[in-house]
Each structure stands twice: as structure tokens, then as C-alpha cells.
């Protein structure tokens, strides 16, 4: 059988070479150094920059939308998953409908819908929907308040780090107090509070290097804040809505997978429902859920490639445009596949490492 | 339990619960109101109505649409036969074991089927109501009739001959394929029909490759193992959309010029290989789930390794993973929308294209068409999922 | 523990307690339904301080349901249940109060697999009784000594044998200093060679004066340690007696039938 596989591989390679020669398209990767010849909307990329630079921009966009998608989908999915188990019939049913609805509709349909039927329907810039100082929504994009530094960006960063260190120290201190006296630690609240205080004091002491700019409609421009392109917004919304429904099922399943006896033992020990969830159920549920969650994150990252349908310039779209601008197809796709493989491997390795660390210690 | 006590227990258990109910109720109520208003009042559904046949069969020539009808009836009949055969066997097994099976009356039966399959029944009804002519009603009646007849006959056929019935689902696609293709070639397919055909053919075609990869992964030759693992992990690590794009542009490079397969075949190759990698993993899980004792017992009675795998292990493994395989098919069914990107006339493309027709251009009717497309997929996917769960329960996966 | 007595049944019904302690658990007219199925019928039972009451009966007789109603793992549908002077009602505070004063040991141990043995035992005292960590851990080590497995303190439950796990479960329940210990078939899931190590711990506990209610099939334990034996069938209490009376001269037909099947 091995011989058959080898023969097949040789035949395919031979065909590729013959075809390449016939159509005069080189099979090398020289094209990466050539000027791209196409612009990338929504970025500062210029046509004269190399194709390789374009691909890097695409990779950056893929990572951007995937990371944001993973974070948002996990948050929303967890809430919906826990809501599905609520004793309140209305909440439980609503969660169920949400999950059953979006699990069964193809992602591409959702993406095309959010783009064409939702975000492209936003009003023109002149008539943008505004919430004073908070939101400016138009066909140009969604603008939200953003922070801007006056050049002392590094100092602000140092301040952030300092605040984080203080938060950690406060949390440790509160845990120590709790151990000694038995009173609840409230470490989270204390640490956050301390961090905020340190950061605020630092900002004032430095004379306010940080500025919150709110988006304003200024004639036909949007001044201030930061604007999210509608392609990005549409893709992100669709990815989040779809993946969250899968994550909700995983969360629900993992909580239900924790044996009933665990809840009973925790109840018999007079732990409150909150203590039960936090100390007994969720830690065990998380262990069950990790592989499945990792799989969903992998899927979300791969699904970001569906952006080709709506002109968001992530990796796949840029490759497609490059090929249309005369880059050779086979090497381009080869490179694309390679990059996705690497991304997959990275996410898988990360998931496996987390899984191993959390595995229940057994005989 | 009266309505009040039910509400007390489920919606208003304590003060926090009551507040939750009120807030959730307001949000849900608003959403439901807007949806209903869209569906019944403000939505302009004539764009869907006028293009119903485009959605369902694409540009399949009108003169040849009888082929679709015949195919539908044939599929319904075979499905009925298989269902009847399974039901008949269960009944005979139960009678032999001395159990008493309930025989619900026809009225109860109808209620049961409606409660179970309301999405697909509702969709068929909706489609019939949207259609303008009477012929769809006749088609529907013929299909239902074929299914019922098949069910009756299947239950009556004794198991000895009945074995042949199970061959039909495999033979039928092979026969229907050239029949539906007709004289126009594969480019004549479109709409929901294209979606179903792409999914079905890819699912069936991926089996040999999937099984080879699964078995290769367990082989004792390290080279074979490495190749199998490599292929499987490669195709599971890349997005399907890239493979689809490649099938359009780059796949041609892998074939000699005069042997270049058509666009439909190329995209089917992409789907097939992709699904084969996932099916390989599913089958591998199935092989692992067969207890070692089975292999050992088979070897002990002197079967050769090939026979051990082929006759003892593989059949059990496949039976165990039927639900997972159905799940993969459902994913494939939804993934076929990706051919929208390379210009095939499948459901999503139709939804987009009809809004650009002369009478409907520029009126933002994309919402209506997309909702309809989403509905088609939702009903298909939901129904398949439900049936798969029922199948899982019936098979008692993990028992026996 | 009482001296052997002879003659007619010393307990006319289950509300008569042995010994002189005050009543810790009182059930009056308790019913429990699961849908149409009546699991408990008119249960009247009193348990006094330092008494060891063993409940036996065929499966489906309601023994587990009864013991689970006492700490509100199941909700009773009629009658009163009073534990340590607190009546069980829908008020969550009364329920939590009762749960603090009762310790339960389960058939399937139900140890928390993601925590060490020490953390399993100290979790509730630290969270519920607000005990400082050092004190909780010191007491936990004492309890582990008492159940004879102090060296396992830093292992995880998955690394222990069944018998060791159940002993940890007993220590975990004792860590809350309960007034009553409830045992729901504690040895039914153990391999035969490990049953004795657990029973020995329970006998020690009884000797030290703990109030105990034990649902079990271990007749030897009942004979040796019980102050009263309660026989249940079909959801009601059929007969009550001292172990001697019970095993040598039961009065009810159903009791005789059951005993003949298992002895």
C-alpha cells in the first residue's frame, strides 16, 4: 500500500511541474519580494510594499479578529451555558432557543447576514446614529471612545505594570489575612481597587499623559475615538454569535458532567450555592471542558478565513487578492496552508499544555 | 399543577427570580414582537415566492424536473422500506422475548410524528403554501405516499429477504446520480438540490479514504502510520474555505492538462478529502472503542488479521460511531455553503442573486432571502440532529 | 450502648429512645412522594444524643430517602422534621443551620477529586465556619490520625483506595463538629477486604459517644454497636428493637422474612 501512496505522490508532483512549465508560472517563492500591486483598505499598507508585507498585515488581522472573537465568545458562551441551567424557566428557554438556533445555521449565512443585512444598513456618516460621546455608528464604521497618549506612552505602560504589581501584592496580602483569621478574602475586589487607585494617582502625578477621546461627528468625518471597520465588526459579531452557541453547549455539558454526588456532598457540608459553584463544580467542569473549548477556539480561528466573503483583509482574503494580482497560485496557497497549520499547532499545543496541567491526579 | 403554581415555581421563586423574569420577559417579548412583525407584516416575501424553484433546484431545466420528483419519491420509498424493516425486526425481537409492545392508534401515531418532526413538516407546508401551482401538492402527496407504502411493505418483509433492503440505501445513490445528471452534466444542478448532492456524494465518497487513513494510523509500519497521521492532521488543521478556493484555482495544477475535471468534481474532491480526514478520526475512535477482547477472541479462533479487522472489529466500530458520522454529515451539509464563494449556484448564492433581479433590485430584500435560506438550513440541520439523537438512543450505543 | 435485655420488645415504636439524652432528631408523620410513588409513609422517629440507630431493610424501602430528608437533600412533603431544635422548612437559613450540625457520609464517598485530602477536609470549616487555615489544618490532621491515615494528607483522592477514601470522607464530615453523623450505606461500594477498616472507624466513633444514624446491610455492625435497630419496608417503619431482640426474636412477619433472606 505504501508503494501505491508513493506512486500517487510522484504522479501528482510530476503533473504540477509539467503544468507550471506549460503555463510559464514559476513555482518559486520569489514573488514574495515583489511589490504587491494592490492596496489594503483600512490600513497604512502601500501598493509598493512587498507581497510578504501584505501577508504579514493579513496575519495580523487574522490574529486580531480571532483573539477578540475567542474572548467575547467565551464570555457570552459561558453566560448562556450557565443560563441554560437556570431554575428560571424563561431564562433557561431563551438560552435554549439561542443555542438551538445558531448551532444549526451555517456560519457563512450568519456572516453574510450580519454584513449585508445589518452593518451595511447603517446610515451614512452624515446621519450616523450617535450616543453622545459613546458611540457613532455609520456605514463608515463603529466608533467608540479610545485612549490616546501624548507621547509618554512608555511611562503609561510602566504605570500599568506598577499597578498590576500592587494588585498582585494586595491579593496575596488579603489571602494571607483570610488564612489567618478565616474571614473571606475579597482578594479580587481589593486588588482591583488598589490597582485603580495606584493608576489614577499615577496619572494625576504625571500631569495626565492619558487622554480619553470620545468620538464626535464632525461635519462628514468622525473625530476622536477609534473606528472599527464594518467588515471587522460584521465578521467579529458573526463569529462570536456562532461560536458562543457552541461554547454554551460545552459549558452546560461540562457542568452537568460533574457527578451529582459532588453537589450533594458540598450541600451536605453546608456550603452555600455560590461556594459550591466556585470551589467544587466549576473547577471540575473546567477540566472536562478544556479540550472541547480548545477545539472551538481552533475552529473560530480557522473560520475567520470566511472573511473572503465580505472583504475583510485577513490572511485568506489577502492571498486571494495577491493571486488575482498575478502571484502564483500553488506556492501562495501552499504558504497559506502552512501558516494555518502553524496556527492550529500553536493553539493545539497550548490547549494540550493547559489540559495536562489541570488533569486530575490519579493512581 | 395549575398555571399559577407552575409560574410560582419556575418564574417567581423569590424576589431576585421575579426581577429576572420581568427583565428577561421584556427583552424576549420585544425580540419576539419584532420577529413576528417582520415575518407576517413588513416582510416582503414575494421575492422568495417568485424564485422558489431557484432556491430549491437552481437552474435545473424545467423539462427535466420530473427527474427530481422521481428521485424524491424513490428516496422516500427506500427510506420507508428501511424504517419499516427496522421496525419489523424490533417487533419480532420483542415478540420473541415475550415483551409486550404498545400499539398506539393512528391518531396517537400522527400526533407523535408531528410533535417530533414539526420543523420539517412546517417547512414543507410553508413551501407548499408559497408555491403558486398545484403540482407541488401532488409531489408532496406522492412522496408521503411512497414513504408510508415503503414503511408498510418493509415491516411485512421477513428478515431473510429483508437483508436485501439494507443494500438499497447504498445502491440508490449510485443509480440516482447519473439519472439526475441527465443529459446536461453536473453544471445544471443548483439550489438546495446542489447542497444535498454535494454533501451526500462527498460523505459517501470519503468513506474508503477515511477507512484507509484510520487503519493506516493503527498499522505496524511506521512509515504508513506517519503518512496517515500527517494527512489527517494536515487536513484537520486547515480551513475548509482555503481548500475550496484551491480546488477552484490551484487543483487544476495537480492534473495533466487534458484530464482536467470540471469545477463540480474539483470542489467535490476538496470536500471529500477534508471530510475523509475527520471521518478517519471518528472511525479511529470507533476502533478504539471495540474491546480488546473481541480481537483476542477472533484471533483465538484462527482468523487472519485482515479477517479479524474486516469481519469482527470494523463492523462493531462503525456501529458505535454512527451518531458521530451523522454529526459529521450535518457539518458537511452546512459547510457546502462555502461554494458560494467560488460562484456555484447554491442556496446562499441564490439568496444574494435574486435581490439583484430587475423587479427587486436595491430594495434591501436581502434580509428576506437570507432568512429564508437560513430557515432551509436550520430545518435540515435540526431535523438531522434530532433523528441522530433518536438513533443513538435506539441503538443503545455503548450497550449490547 | 446498652446491656443485653430479654423479654418482649422494649420499644413499642420508634419514638421511644434508648438512653437518657435529649432528643436530637425528631420526625413526626413524615411523608415523601416521588410523583405517584410514595417513598415514605407516616414516619415517626426520635433519636437521642449519643444513640446509635441502625436502619435496615430491603432496597426500595425508603431508608436512603429517609436519611436524605434529614439534611434536606430531599424535601419531605408532609410532617415535621426537627434537628437539633431547628425545624426544617423552606427557609434557607434553617436548612443551612441543620446542615452545619449534621455530617453525612455517602455510599460513593463523593470526595472532591481536584483537592488534596487535607483541602477536602478543611474546605467547609474554612468557608462555612470561617476557621483560620492553620487551625483548620491542625484539626484536619488530628482527624486523619483518628481515622488512621495521617500520611495521606497531601495526596489526591484518586490516589487512595476505596477504604481510605471513605475514611477521609468520615473525617471530612467530622471536621464540621456535627451533632449527628448520618451514614448512607457507607460500605456498600467497598471491596470486602476494605469494609472492616471503615467499620472499625465507625465503631470508634460510636464508642466516643457520637450520635449516629446508619443505613447499612452490615448486620454484624448492627449487632455490635447499635442501641436500636429500625426495620423499614415499603416506606414505613415496621419494627424497632434492640439488636438482641431484633435478631433473635423479631415480632413482625415482614421482619422475619427479611432476616431469613439475609442471615
Amino acid at each position: 500500500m505504501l508503494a501505491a501512496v508513493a506512486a500517487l505522490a510522484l504522479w501528482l508532483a510530476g503533473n504540477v511541474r509539467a503544468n507550471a512549465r506549460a503555463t510559464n508560472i514559476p513555482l518559486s517563492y520569489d514573488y514574495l519580494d515583489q511589490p504587491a500591486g494592490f492596496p489594503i483598505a483600512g490600513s497604512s499598507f502601500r501598493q509598493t510594499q512587498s507581497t510578504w508585507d501584505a501577508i504579514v498585515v493579513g496575519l495580523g488581522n487574522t490574529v486580531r479578529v480571532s483573539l477578540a472573537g475567542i474572548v467575547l465568545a467565551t464570555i457570552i458562551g459561558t453566560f448562556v451555558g450557565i443560563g441554560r441551567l437556570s431554575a428560571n424557566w424563561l431564562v433557561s428557554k431563551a438560552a435554549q432557543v439561542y443555542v438551538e438556533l445558531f448551532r444549526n445555521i451555517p456560519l457563512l449565512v450568519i456572516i453574510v447576514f450580519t454584513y449585508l443585512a445589518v452593518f451595511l444598513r447603517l446610515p451614512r456618516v452624515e446621519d450616523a446614529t450617535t450616543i453622545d460621546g459613546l458611540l457613532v455608528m455609520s456605514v463608515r464604521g463603529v466608533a467608540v471612545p479610545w485612549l490616546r497618549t501624548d507621547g509618554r506612552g512608555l511611562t503609561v505602560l510602566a504605570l500599568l505594570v506598577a499597578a498590576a504589581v500592587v494588585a498582585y501584592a494586595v491579593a496575596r496580602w488579603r489571602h494571607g489575612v483570610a488564612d489567618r483569621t478565616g474571614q473571606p478574602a475579597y482578594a479580587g475586589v481589593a486588588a482591583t481597587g488598589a490597582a485603580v487607585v495606584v493608576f489614577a494617582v499615577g496619572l494625576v502625578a504625571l500631569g495626565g499623559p492619558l487622554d480619553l477621546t470620545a468620538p464626535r461627528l464632525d461635519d462628514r468625518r468622525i473625530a476622536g475615538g477609534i473606528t472599527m471597520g464594518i467588515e471587522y465588526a460584521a465578521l467579529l459579531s458573526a463569529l462570536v454569535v456562532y461560536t458562543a452557541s457552541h461554547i454554551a453547549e460545552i459549558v452546560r455539558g461540562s457542568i452537568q458532567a460533574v457527578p451529582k454526588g459532588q453537589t450533594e456532598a458540598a450541600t451536605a457540608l453546608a456550603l452555600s450555592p455560590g461556594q459550591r459553584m466556585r470551589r467544587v463544580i466549576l473547577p471540575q467542569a473546567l477540566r472536562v471542558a478544556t479540550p472541547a473549548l480548545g477545539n472551538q477556539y481552533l475552529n473560530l480561528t480557522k473560520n475567520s478565513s470566511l472573511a473572503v466573503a465580505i472583504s475583510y483583509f485577513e490572511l485568506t482574503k489577502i492571498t486571494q487578492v495577491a493571486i488575482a494580482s498575478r502571484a502564483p497560485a500553488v506556492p501562495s496557497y501552499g504558504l497559506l496552508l502552512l501558516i494555518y497549520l502553524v496556527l492550529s499547532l500553536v493553539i493545539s499545543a497550548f490547549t494540550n499544555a493547559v489540559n495536562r496541567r489541570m488533569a486530575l491526579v490519579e493512581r | 399543577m395549575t398555571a399559577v403554581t407552575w409560574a410560582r415555581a419556575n418564574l417567581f421563586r423569590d424576589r431576585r427570580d421575579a426581577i429576572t423574569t420581568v427583565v428577561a420577559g421584556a427583552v424576549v417579548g420585544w425580540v419576539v414582537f419584532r420577529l413576528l412583525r417582520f415575518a407576517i407584516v413588513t416582510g416582503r416575501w414575494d421575492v422568495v415566492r417568485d424564485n422558489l424553484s431557484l432556491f430549491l433546484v437552481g437552474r435545473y431545466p424545467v423539462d427535466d424536473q420530473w427527474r427530481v420528483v422521481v428521485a424524491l419519491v424513490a428516496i422516500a420509498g427506500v427510506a420507508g422500506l428501511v424504517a419499516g424493516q427496522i421496525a419489523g425486526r424490533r417487533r419480532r425481537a420483542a415478540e420473541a422475548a415475550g415483551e409486550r409492545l404498545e400499539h398506539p392508534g393512528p391518531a396517537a401515531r400522527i400526533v407523535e410524528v408531528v410533535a417530533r418532526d414539526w420543523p420539517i413538516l412546517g417547512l414543507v407546508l410553508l413551501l407548499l403554501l408559497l408555491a403558486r401551482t398545484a403540482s407541488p401538492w401532488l409531489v408532496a402527496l406522492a412522496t408521503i405516499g411512497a414513504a408510508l407504502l415503503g414503511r408498510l411493505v418493509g415491516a411485512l418483509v421477513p428478515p431473510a429477504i429483508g437483508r436485501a433492503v439494507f443494500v438499497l440505501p447504498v445502491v440508490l445513490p449510485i443509480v440516482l446520480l447519473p439519472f439526475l445528471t441527465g443529459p446536461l452534466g453536473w453544471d445544471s444542478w443548483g439550489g438546495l438540490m446542489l447542497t444535498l448532492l454535494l454533501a451526500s456524494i462527498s460523505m459517501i465518497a470519503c468513506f474508503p479514504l477515511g477507512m484507509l487513513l484510520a487503519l493506516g494510523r493503527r498499522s505496524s509500519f511506521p512509515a504508513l502510520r506517519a503518512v496517515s497521521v500527517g494527512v489527517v492532521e494536515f487536513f484537520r488543521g486547515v480551513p475548509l474555505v482555503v481548500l475550496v478556493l484551491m480546488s477552484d484555482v490551484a487543483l487544476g495544477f495537480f492534473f495533466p492538462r487534458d484530464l482536467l475535471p470540471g469545477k463540480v468534481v474539483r470542489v467535490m474532491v476538496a470536500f471529500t478529502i477534508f471530510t475523509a480526514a475527520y471521518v478517519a478520526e471518528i472511525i479511529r475512535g470507533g476502533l478504539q472503542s471495540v474491546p480488546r477482547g473481541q480481537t483476542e477472541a477472533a484471533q483465538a479462533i484462527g482468523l487472519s488479521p485482515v479477517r479479524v479487522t474486516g469481519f469482527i472489529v470494523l463492523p462493531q466500530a462503525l456501529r458505535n460511531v454512527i451518531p458521530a458520522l451523522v454529526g459529521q454529515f450535518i457539518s458537511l451539509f452546512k459547510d457546502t455553503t462555502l461554494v458560494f464563494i467560488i460562484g456555484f449556484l447554491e442556496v446562499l448564492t441564490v439568496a444574494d442573486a435574486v435581490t439583484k433581479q430587475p423587479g427587486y433590485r436595491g430594495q434591501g430584500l436581502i434580509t428576506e432571502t437570507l432568512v429564508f435560506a437560513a430557515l432551509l438550513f436550520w430545518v435540515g440541520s435540526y431535523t438531522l440532529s434530532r433523528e441522530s439523537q433518536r438513533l443513538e438512543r435506539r441503538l443503545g450505543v455503548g450497550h449490547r | 450502648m446498652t446491656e443485653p435485655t430479654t423479654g418482649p420488645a422494649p420499644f413499642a415504636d420508634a419514638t421511644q429512645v434508648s438512653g437518657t439524652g435529649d432528643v436530637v432528631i425528631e420526625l413526626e408523620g413524615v411523608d415523601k412522594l416521588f410523583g405517584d410513588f410514595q417513598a415514605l409513609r407516616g414516619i415517626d422517629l426520635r433519636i437521642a444524643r449519643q444513640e446509635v440507630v441502625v436502619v435496615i431493610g430491603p432496597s426500595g424501602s425508603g431508608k436512603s430517602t429517609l436519611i436524605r430528608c434529614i439534611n434536606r437533600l430531599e424535601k419531605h412533603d408532609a410532617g415535621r422534621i426537627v434537628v437539633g431544635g431547628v425545624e426544617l422548612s423552606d427557609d434557607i437559613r434553617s436548612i443551612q443551620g441543620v446542615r452545619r450540625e449534621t455530617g453525612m457520609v455517602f455510599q460513593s464517598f463523593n470526595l472532591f477529586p481536584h483537592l488534596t485530602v487535607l483541602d477536602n477536609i478543611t474546605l467547609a470549616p474554612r468557608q462555612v465556619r470561617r476557621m483560620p487555615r492553620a487551625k483548620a489544618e491542625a484539626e484536619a490532621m488530628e482527624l486523619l490520625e483518628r481515622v488512621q491515615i495521617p500520611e495521606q494528607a497531601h495526596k489526591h483522592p484518586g490516589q487512595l483506595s476505596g477504604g481510605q477514601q471513605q475514611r477521609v470522607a468520615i473525617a471530612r464530615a467530622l471536621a464540621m463538629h456535627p451533632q449527628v453523623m448520618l451514614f448512607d450505606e457507607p460500605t456498600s461500594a467497598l471491596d470486602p477486604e476494605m469494609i472492616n477498616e471503615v467499620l472499625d472507624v465507625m465503631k470508634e466513633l460510636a464508642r466516643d459517644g457520637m450520635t449516629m444514624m446508619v443505613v447499612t446491610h452490615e448486620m454484624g455492625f448492627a449487632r455490635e454497636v447499635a442501641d436500636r435497630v429500625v426495620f423499614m419496608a415499603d416506606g414505613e417503619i415496621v419494627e424497632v428493637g434492640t439488636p438482641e431482640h431484633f435478631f433473635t426474636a423479631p415480632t413482625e412477619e415482614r421482619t422475619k422474612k427479611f432476616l431469613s433472606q439475609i442471615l
Side-chain angles (χ1 to χ4, degrees):
Chain A
M1 196 166 97
L2 206 53
V5 172
L8 183 67
L10 279 173
W11 180 69
L12 287 174
N15 283 330
V16 174
R17 212 161 303 161
N19 282 322
R21 243 175 296 145
T23 56
N24 224 352
I25 299 178
L27 277 184
S28 67
Y29 279 95
D30 294 336
Y31 74 96
L32 287 174
D33 294 322
Q34 311 278 337
F38 58 87
I40 299 179
S43 86
S44 49
F45 183 80
R46 286 190 305 258
Q47 293 198 39
T48 46
Q49 287 176 263
S50 71
T51 313
W52 173 250
D53 284 346
I55 292 184
V56 169
V57 170
L59 181 58
N61 281 338
T62 297
V63 170
R64 216 160 54 109
V65 82
S66 301
L67 271 180
I70 287 176
V71 168
L72 285 173
T74 308
I75 296 175
I76 295 182
T78 308
F79 272 113
V80 175
I82 295 183
R84 185 86 163 71
L85 295 170
S86 160
N88 184 310
W89 180 87
L90 196 55
V91 170
S92 157
K93 266 296 171 201
Q96 186 183 2
V97 167
Y98 170 85
V99 169
E100 289 302 326
L101 184 64
F102 287 106
R103 271 201 331 160
N104 288 304
I105 301 184
L107 178 56
L108 190 56
V109 174
I110 302 178
I111 290 178
V112 172
F113 186 82
T114 52
Y115 186 61
L116 291 179
V118 177
F119 280 92
L120 268 185
R121 291 266 184 85
L122 287 177
R124 296 178 314 170
V125 182
E126 299 90 59
D127 312 313
T129 320
T130 42
I131 306 178
D132 252 334
L134 270 180
L135 198 63
V136 176
M137 288 210 296
S138 71
V139 144
R140 197 74 74 73
V142 177
V144 290
W146 199 242
L147 301 163
R148 210 167 296 199
T149 63
D150 61 354
R152 286 186 279 173
L154 277 177
T155 326
V156 175
L157 197 61
L159 191 56
L160 259 173
V161 171
V165 168
V166 166
Y168 181 68
V170 167
R172 287 287 298 260
W173 168 65
R174 282 302 305 173
H175 276 303
V177 167
D179 281 350
R180 274 199 310 278
T181 63
Q183 296 305 314
Y186 297 125
V189 173
T192 326
V196 166
V197 164
V198 166
F199 193 64
V201 165
L203 279 182
V204 169
L206 285 174
L210 210 56
D211 214 6
L212 188 72
T213 58
R216 265 179 6 258
L217 197 49
D218 192 10
D219 199 9
R220 292 186 61 202
R221 292 187 323 118
I222 302 173
I226 194 168
T227 309
M228 268 192 293
I230 52 170
E231 289 84 9
Y232 176 79
L235 181 64
L236 185 62
S237 321
L239 280 173
V240 166
V241 160
Y242 178 77
T243 312
S245 72
H246 287 262
I247 291 184
E249 274 302 277
I250 292 173
V251 167
R252 175 178 79 97
S254 69
I255 292 182
Q256 284 181 326
V258 178
K260 249 192 97 187
Q262 295 290 304
T263 323
E264 291 186 347
T267 310
L269 286 170
L271 290 169
S272 75
Q275 288 164 338
R276 286 205 290 267
M277 208 18 122
R278 232 175 347 128
R279 306 250 171 202
V280 177
I281 312 253
L282 278 183
Q284 294 187 58
L286 204 56
R287 281 174 172 78
V288 174
T290 303
L293 280 180
N295 200 29
Q296 284 306 313
Y297 297 158
L298 191 57
N299 283 342
L300 190 144
T301 309
K302 288 194 291 175
N303 285 334
S304 68
S305 56
L306 289 176
V308 292
I310 61 171
S311 314
Y312 176 66
F313 285 93
E314 49 71 63
L315 208 46
T316 315
K317 182 73 181 175
I318 293 217
T319 307
Q320 212 189 14
V321 173
I323 292 179
S325 302
R326 242 98 65 74
V330 173
S332 294
Y333 279 124
L335 180 61
L336 186 61
L337 290 174
L338 192 63
I339 298 180
Y340 272 113
L341 260 183
V342 169
L343 279 174
S344 297
L345 284 173
V346 165
I347 296 182
S348 292
F350 186 66
T351 309
N352 283 338
V354 171
N355 213 19
R356 260 198 311 268
R357 276 212 59 193
M358 292 210 307
L360 291 175
V361 181
E362 306 218 338
R363 271 231 236 207
Chain B
M1 237 202 192
T2 66
V4 176
T5 36
W6 179 88
R8 276 255 181 82
N10 289 308
L11 293 174
F12 298 100
R13 271 175 318 137
D14 53 36
R15 191 133 46 117
R16 240 177 29 170
D17 205 33
I19 299 179
T20 314
T21 303
V22 167
V23 169
V27 171
V28 169
W30 181 81
V31 169
V32 169
F33 170 69
R34 290 293 296 262
L35 277 175
L36 282 178
R37 201 178 65 150
F38 171 71
I40 303 177
V41 180
T42 56
R44 284 197 43 206
W45 296 105
D46 42 339
V47 65
V48 169
R49 212 182 195 167
D50 292 336
N51 294 296
L52 209 50
S53 93
L54 256 184
F55 270 106
L56 293 176
V57 294
R59 293 227 179 81
Y60 204 74
V62 181
D63 306 326
D64 285 300
Q65 280 181 3
W66 61 270
R67 294 174 187 258
V68 179
V69 175
V70 169
L72 267 178
V73 171
I75 293 175
V78 168
L81 272 173
V82 172
Q85 180 61 201
I86 295 179
R89 279 173 192 240
R90 278 204 328 153
R91 190 166 41 86
R92 280 194 201 90
E95 279 169 9
E99 295 167 8
R100 311 214 63 240
L101 273 187
E102 307 174 353
H103 289 281
R109 267 292 182 75
I110 294 181
V111 169
E112 183 199 331
V113 170
V114 169
R116 220 174 55 205
D117 292 322
W118 59 268
I120 193 151
L121 291 174
L123 180 67
V124 169
L125 200 58
L126 179 69
L127 291 176
L128 289 176
L129 288 173
L130 281 176
R132 291 237 168 82
T133 56
S135 48
W137 290 91
L138 293 171
V139 172
L141 276 166
T143 315
I144 295 178
L148 286 174
L149 194 62
R151 178 84 165 68
L152 234 76
V153 171
L156 292 171
V157 169
I161 318 176
R163 235 172 278 269
V165 165
F166 287 109
V167 175
L168 282 177
V170 180
V171 165
L172 192 64
I174 303 179
V175 167
L176 279 184
L177 203 56
F179 176 68
L180 280 173
T181 314
L184 305 111
W186 297 24
D187 294 318
S188 58
W189 292 347
L192 188 59
M193 195 172 91
L194 177 64
T195 305
L196 286 170
L197 277 166
L198 274 177
S200 315
I201 296 175
S202 301
M203 193 68 191
I204 296 175
C206 84
F207 249 85
L209 184 57
M211 260 199 286
L212 273 177
L213 287 171
L215 291 171
R217 196 155 174 172
R218 280 162 55 105
S219 124
S220 26
F221 293 115
L224 197 53
R225 247 209 325 267
V227 167
S228 304
V229 170
V231 169
V232 169
E233 291 305 318
F234 177 79
F235 282 100
R236 273 163 49 101
V238 299
L240 180 56
V241 107
V242 174
L243 295 174
V244 167
L245 284 173
M246 279 183 69
S247 80
D248 195 31
V249 174
L251 200 63
F253 266 70
F254 287 87
F255 289 91
R257 308 231 63 208
D258 35 351
L259 213 60
L260 190 63
K263 201 163 159 178
V264 178
V265 174
R266 290 205 303 264
V267 98
M268 264 202 271
V269 167
F271 276 116
T272 303
I273 303 184
F274 182 79
T275 311
Y278 282 83
V279 165
E281 280 300 277
I282 292 175
I283 296 181
R284 186 169 79 102
L287 289 170
Q288 280 177 338
S289 74
V290 175
R292 281 219 73 198
Q294 295 288 312
T295 324
E296 290 169 359
Q299 285 167 340
I301 56 177
L303 290 177
S304 73
V306 173
R307 288 227 169 84
V308 167
T309 317
F311 284 106
I312 308 292
V313 179
L314 209 48
Q316 291 189 49
L318 288 176
R319 223 178 124 260
N320 282 347
V321 296
I322 288 181
L325 288 174
V326 175
Q328 188 60 41
F329 177 74
I330 298 175
S331 293
L332 189 54
F333 172 66
K334 292 187 288 176
D335 286 338
T336 50
T337 46
L338 294 183
V339 298
F340 163 73
I341 295 174
I342 52 177
F344 277 67
L345 194 68
E346 57 77 57
V347 181
L348 199 51
T349 323
V350 172
D352 188 41
V354 298
T355 59
K356 305 195 172 105
Q357 288 172 335
Y360 297 114
R361 198 188 299 247
Q363 295 169 37
L365 288 170
I366 190 77
T367 319
E368 278 84 348
T369 56
L370 278 178
V371 167
F372 183 69
L375 182 67
L376 286 176
F377 280 106
W378 186 85
V379 168
S381 177
Y382 185 76
T383 307
L384 284 171
S385 294
R386 274 306 184 85
E387 289 305 310
S388 162
Q389 282 168 1
R390 273 187 67 225
L391 194 63
E392 219 172 318
R393 271 199 301 269
R394 281 269 182 84
L395 283 181
V397 173
H399 298 210
R400 198 6 141 118
Chain C
M1 304 270 277
T2 52
E3 323 75 24
T5 54
T6 51
F11 301 109
D13 59 51
T15 56
Q16 280 188 290
V17 300
S18 62
T20 52
D22 51 312
V23 171
V24 178
I25 297 182
E26 180 167 356
L27 286 92
E28 198 180 302
V30 171
D31 288 344
K32 169 76 189 153
L33 287 136
F34 287 112
D36 286 336
F37 172 66
Q38 182 135 24
L40 293 176
R41 261 177 245 273
I43 301 285
D44 293 306
L45 177 65
R46 288 219 191 95
I47 300 185
R49 206 167 288 285
Q50 305 204 336
E51 259 203 294
V52 176
V53 173
V54 173
V55 180
I56 62 174
S59 52
S61 55
K63 339 187 275 292
S64 272
T65 312
L66 177 62
I67 204 170
R68 286 157 64 94
C69 279
I70 293 180
N71 69 354
R72 196 66 156 195
L73 281 182
E74 303 283 356
K75 183 176 154 179
H76 62 283
D77 294 313
R80 289 170 69 229
I81 300 184
V82 183
V83 180
V86 178
E87 176 166 354
L88 270 181
S89 67
D90 284 332
D91 176 21
I92 189 71
R93 265 175 312 212
S94 74
I95 299 177
Q96 290 295 79
V98 165
R99 286 176 178 159
R100 277 198 290 270
E101 301 304 325
T102 53
M104 184 162 230
V105 177
F106 297 86
Q107 179 176 348
S108 43
F109 333 138
N110 290 338
L111 291 179
F112 305 134
H114 58 294
L115 301 174
T116 61
V117 162
L118 199 63
D119 287 334
N120 259 277
I121 301 177
T122 58
L123 177 66
R126 287 173 67 191
Q127 291 293 316
V128 180
R129 293 211 193 271
R130 305 261 209 249
M131 221 185 261
R133 178 208 265 216
K135 181 160 180 257
E137 288 188 352
E139 286 193 14
M141 287 308 295
E142 271 175 49
L143 285 168
L144 282 174
E145 300 258 356
R146 208 166 146 193
V147 300
Q148 321 215 329
I149 38 171
E151 70 281 359
Q152 310 289 350
H154 296 286
K155 296 230 182 107
H156 285 259
Q159 296 171 293
L160 303 179
S161 75
Q164 291 170 324
Q165 287 189 50
Q166 193 63 299
R167 285 187 275 160
V168 171
I170 295 177
R172 180 177 66 173
L174 289 173
M176 289 290 281
H177 301 296
Q179 294 183 36
V180 180
M181 284 286 280
L182 304 170
F183 292 84
D184 188 0
E185 303 208 32
T187 55
S188 299
L190 292 175
D191 289 335
E193 66 268 16
M194 295 193 258
I195 294 182
N196 280 324
E197 64 194 57
V198 174
L199 290 180
D200 286 340
V201 168
M202 291 166 69
K203 290 178 198 170
E204 265 296 321
L205 215 53
R207 270 198 284 275
D208 291 336
M210 171 63 77
T211 317
M212 293 163 65
M213 180 171 168
V214 183
V215 171
T216 185
H217 295 298
E218 294 292 323
M219 298 303 152
F221 176 82
R223 250 201 267 256
E224 256 189 77
V225 177
D227 293 318
R228 272 188 296 156
V229 177
V230 172
F231 173 65
M232 279 185 72
D234 300 318
E236 36 183 29
I237 292 182
V238 173
E239 187 166 346
V240 189
T242 60
E244 291 69 30
H245 155 86
F246 207 86
F247 291 109
T248 53
T251 47
E252 297 289 326
E253 270 315 304
R254 279 187 285 181
T255 321
K256 291 183 193 166
K257 188 162 161 232
F258 176 71
L259 289 176
S260 72
Q261 282 169 339
I262 60 160
L263 288 178

